[in-house]
Amino acid sequence: GDLLFYTNASISYNSQARHPWVVVIDAKTKKIVAASEISEVETSPHGIGMSPDATQIYLPAGSAQPNFVTAADGTRFKGGVTVVDTKTLKMTQSIATIDAPHHMQILNDEVVMSDAWGTKQILFTLDPADGNKMTNEIAAEPFGGLPYIGFPSPDGKYVYMTVRPPRDSTDKEAWISRVNISDWSVERVADVGAGPVWTAFTRDGQFAYVTIGEEDWVMKVDLQQKKVVGKVSSGRGPYGAVLSPDEKMLYVVSKGEGGHGQRGGTFVAIDAEAMRLIEERPSCLAFVCQADHIVLSPDGTELWID
């Protein structure tokens, strides 16, 4: 009957930690029940993932350098995934990657999926049942642009990715593409605007809500018709988003993404059917902070926001 919330605590944004931590919170009592410094990691992981059986924790340890400094070789992001045992909160494995892992998610209750900063290995899967062997990987080239974040579709047949134009392009229009899990082929689905970030799906897989960081919008995309069917203002630089259990409300973290300051954003509630902004409130009242991600509790009564 326990319900636990796992998060990482990184070393960017003026954190006082020397290395990233894994923190375990009792979601019912709202108390920290365990925490551990992962001293082997020198970078600043952005996301966190778990194996389907919840025995292994995955840190995309190849995220930013501390406080986003540039290393001597000119890179700001590094490769690698760090695996941590759930019971001991100690590192058990370090997995080398070509690009810099960004977010970790579960795909089809079988494998752990990661998107990554880079060009050669921007999406890959690890098999927890086979020593976390890398089972699939794909480069950026088939997307025709710069893939950003990947999201499994509700039916598990696709991974949808937000994609920005190539760096040398004068066109700012970005799009979402989908990767067919059966053969890892790529199909461009719909143009959505400049700087798309997060994607949230209705459970039937018909609609996707995409946050557009550079233009302060959320786009509603009909995935069957492959076109945008709705648009609503979201607050400054939206990032993470999640649907309510009845799918009537879309909750968005307006972080200040896309060159909009990053700090001092807002939490936004949107009528997902009418695509109408219902409420916007400051993310922090007493100080300037920055939220990125938003998670719905299993019972649908709480939003957990970092």
Side-chain angles (χ1 to χ4, degrees):
D2 292 339
L3 181 63
L4 301 176
F5 177 83
Y6 287 78
T7 187
N8 72 345
S10 279
I11 53 180
S12 293
Y13 297 108
N14 303 312
S15 167
Q16 300 304 300
R18 294 175 300 173
H19 300 276
W21 285 61
V22 171
V23 181
V24 187
I25 299 172
D26 186 315
K28 295 178 180 178
T29 65
K30 309 298 189 294
K31 295 183 182 299
I32 294 175
V33 295
S36 178
E37 180 186 60
I38 312 302
S39 59
E40 295 87 350
V41 180
E42 299 290 341
T43 55
S44 188
H46 180 80
I48 187 171
M50 298 187 75
S51 59
D53 64 3
T55 62
Q56 301 179 81
I57 299 166
Y58 297 80
L59 292 178
S63 290
Q65 305 290 341
N67 287 312
F68 300 101
V69 299
T70 301
D73 62 2
T75 59
R76 295 177 65 207
F77 301 93
K78 292 289 186 179
V81 173
T82 297
V83 185
V84 176
D85 181 86
T86 308
K87 292 183 179 180
T88 65
L89 296 187
K90 301 297 181 184
M91 189 190 87
T92 59
Q93 190 177 3
S94 179
I95 302 170
T97 61
I98 300 172
D99 291 334
H102 195 194
H103 300 91
M104 313 292 298
Q105 301 182 62
I106 294 175
L107 176 61
N108 289 334
D109 288 326
E110 294 178 356
V111 297
V112 175
M113 183 193 87
S114 178
D115 52 58
W117 298 96
T119 59
K120 297 180 179 179
Q121 197 183 52
I122 53 87
L123 184 69
F124 61 88
T125 55
L126 305 172
D127 187 354
D130 191 14
N132 291 311
K133 178 181 177 182
M134 190 173 294
T135 52
N136 288 289
E137 58 184 303
I138 190 170
E141 185 178 4
F143 293 87
L146 303 174
Y148 187 42
I149 308 179
F151 303 89
S153 62
D155 60 10
K157 294 180 180 179
Y158 303 98
V159 173
Y160 284 84
M161 295 201 75
T162 49
V163 186
R164 283 89 182 276
R167 287 187 177 88
D168 58 356
S169 174
T170 58
D171 185 8
K172 291 188 175 182
E173 183 75 23
W175 60 91
I176 55 173
S177 291
R178 61 186 177 194
V179 180
N180 191 318
I181 297 304
S182 64
D183 58 7
W184 283 67
S185 59
V186 177
E187 177 188 7
R188 184 164 171 164
V189 176
D191 293 348
V192 292
V197 182
W198 208 261
T199 305
F201 303 95
T202 55
R203 282 189 295 273
D204 62 7
Q206 181 176 356
F207 297 105
Y209 298 89
V210 184
T211 58
I212 312 300
E214 292 184 19
E215 297 181 340
D216 303 341
W217 295 99
V218 173
M219 299 292 194
K220 184 176 183 178
V221 180
D222 188 317
L223 297 176
Q224 295 177 3
Q225 298 185 42
K226 300 181 183 179
K227 67 177 183 179
V228 173
V229 294
K231 175 181 177 181
V232 62
S233 175
S234 63
R236 178 168 54 85
Y239 199 95
V242 66
L243 276 167
S244 64
D246 62 8
E247 302 187 344
K248 292 182 179 180
M249 297 292 291
L250 180 74
Y251 298 102
V252 178
V253 173
S254 287
K255 162 190 171 184
E257 184 74 1
H260 293 169
Q262 297 285 9
R263 304 297 185 93
T266 57
F267 300 150
V268 177
I270 291 170
D271 183 326
E273 296 177 344
M275 291 299 285
R276 179 171 59 92
L277 193 150
I278 301 296
E279 182 179 1
E280 181 178 11
R281 63 174 64 187
S283 54
C284 293
L285 298 177
F287 56 93
V288 177
C289 67
Q290 173 181 312
D292 274 37
H293 303 146
I294 182 169
V295 178
L296 186 72
S297 63
D299 62 6
T301 64
E302 295 177 340
L303 297 171
W304 285 61
I305 306 167
D306 67 324

